[in-house]
Amino acid sequence: MNVNKKLDRFKQWAGERMGGEAKTNVSDDFKALEVEMTLRHEGMERLQKSMNAYVKTLSKRNEGEDKEKSLPVAYLGSTMVNHGEDFENDSEFGQCLIGM
């Protein structure tokens, strides 16, 4: 599957370079969506790391990314709030993360 996808991308790139096909244009909406999805992906990775630390131990103190000693549940909560603040003010996803 992955090889076929890369082969298709190569064919598209070669067609664009050789002049046989029109160059693919990306709209501003697509670029904004791509940025938002990258932001969500990075945030979910941080949330997963926090959740793994939380599941590993519920009462043991754990060091987070900021090297500050805190309970795992506090580390998870601060990660959720920080990731929620990464989004626009009108984002429902961001507001839900902050509200939890």
Side-chain angles (χ1 to χ4, degrees):
M1 174 76 181
N2 196 12
V3 174
N4 288 337
K5 191 175 186 180
K6 290 187 181 213
L7 203 60
D8 289 338
R9 286 183 183 173
F10 177 73
K11 286 180 184 177
Q12 180 182 1
W13 177 82
E16 291 171 355
R17 294 293 177 219
M18 298 300 182
E21 296 178 19
K23 188 166 184 152
T24 305
N25 294 326
V26 180
S27 69
D28 291 336
D29 291 336
F30 183 78
K31 288 178 184 177
L33 182 62
E34 192 174 33
V35 168
E36 182 179 348
M37 293 310 296
T38 302
L39 183 65
R40 284 184 184 214
H41 179 72
E42 292 170 353
M44 285 297 158
E45 286 179 346
R46 290 193 310 260
L47 285 171
Q48 182 181 13
K49 183 178 178 182
S50 299
M51 185 58 87
N52 286 339
Y54 178 69
V55 168
K56 186 176 179 182
T57 175
L58 293 175
S59 61
K60 181 180 172 185
R61 292 195 175 267
N62 192 12
E63 273 189 41
E65 289 179 352
D66 53 2
K67 304 297 182 205
E68 179 180 308
K69 293 280 187 177
S70 63
L71 290 174
V73 70
Y75 177 52
L76 176 62
S78 66
T79 303
M80 290 174 72
V81 169
N82 288 336
H83 182 49
E85 291 172 350
D86 289 342
F87 291 97
E88 300 283 332
N89 290 336
D90 60 346
S91 170
E92 288 184 35
F93 185 67
Q95 293 301 316
C96 288
L97 286 173
I98 292 170
M100 292 183 91

